[in-house]
Amino acid sequence: MEQVFDIFSRISGGRALDRIRYILVNNERRVNPKSSQEELNGIFAGQQKTLILYPHAFDPVSHRVPGVSNLAGTLIHELSHGLTDEVFNDWRERFGWKYLDRPVEVSPGVWRSYDPPANGKFVTAYAEVDPGEDIVESMVAALVRPD
């Protein structure tokens, strides 16, 4: 955790860390609402300045991005959500994300508001969910495997 916070203290003048006041640990296992096949690792609740970690974040498994623990990957992922507002529209336009006129259900209970780029290359399958998840999963990969 210390290593992740050190990295984020140097990114954008520490703005992502400034956007967090509380880190909460919720002991309830939940299904990720954006991917019905995964357990929820964490949530960045920006308006409440809160990062919420769920039990799966602490499981001794690899993160979706290879080469990083689930906890470190989750922290980088969620803290990166605190920076997406600065690049969201540019990212969406540059990589060809299309906003849908209305959300579509892609699997039971899982809805999408964006159509991913047709020939997009994503660092993880979860990055295909929407531009925001594409940004933060790319941040995890860039920070742990900069090659």
Side-chain angles (χ1 to χ4, degrees):
M1 284 179 84
E2 184 178 340
Q3 197 173 29
V4 171
F5 290 118
D6 180 56
I7 291 168
F8 275 88
S9 71
R10 293 181 269 132
I11 296 174
S12 293
R15 277 199 298 265
L17 296 178
D18 291 342
R19 295 176 179 167
I20 298 290
R21 174 177 257 160
Y22 307 103
I23 297 176
L24 304 177
V25 177
N26 185 319
N27 67 354
E28 182 181 330
R29 290 190 177 268
R30 292 188 181 175
V31 172
N32 187 328
K34 291 186 176 183
S35 170
S36 62
Q37 300 171 353
E38 291 186 10
E39 271 194 68
L40 187 61
N41 287 327
I43 294 175
F44 171 75
Q47 291 185 341
Q48 293 82 21
K49 293 187 153 201
T50 302
L51 179 100
I52 304 167
L53 297 173
Y54 290 87
H56 191 256
F58 299 95
D59 287 348
V61 296
S62 294
H63 187 262
R64 292 177 293 264
V65 174
V68 63
S69 72
N70 202 36
L71 180 57
T74 298
L75 288 170
I76 294 169
H77 177 107
E78 298 305 337
L79 288 169
S80 294
H81 275 299
L83 300 172
T84 58
D85 59 335
E86 298 173 24
V87 298
F88 186 88
N89 287 329
D90 290 338
W91 189 280
R92 183 181 50 78
E93 290 172 17
R94 179 172 183 186
F95 294 105
W97 284 91
K98 304 282 188 235
Y99 188 75
L100 301 171
D101 292 333
R102 62 176 195 228
V104 294
E105 190 171 25
V106 295
S107 62
V110 178
W111 295 81
R112 298 283 184 264
S113 297
Y114 285 91
D115 198 15
N119 58 358
K121 293 183 179 180
F122 300 96
V123 295
T124 67
Y126 192 62
E128 294 181 55
V129 167
D130 62 43
E133 300 303 343
D134 188 14
I135 293 166
V136 299
E137 288 286 275
S138 296
M139 284 285 292
V140 176
L143 292 173
V144 299
R145 316 185 320 232
D147 52 352

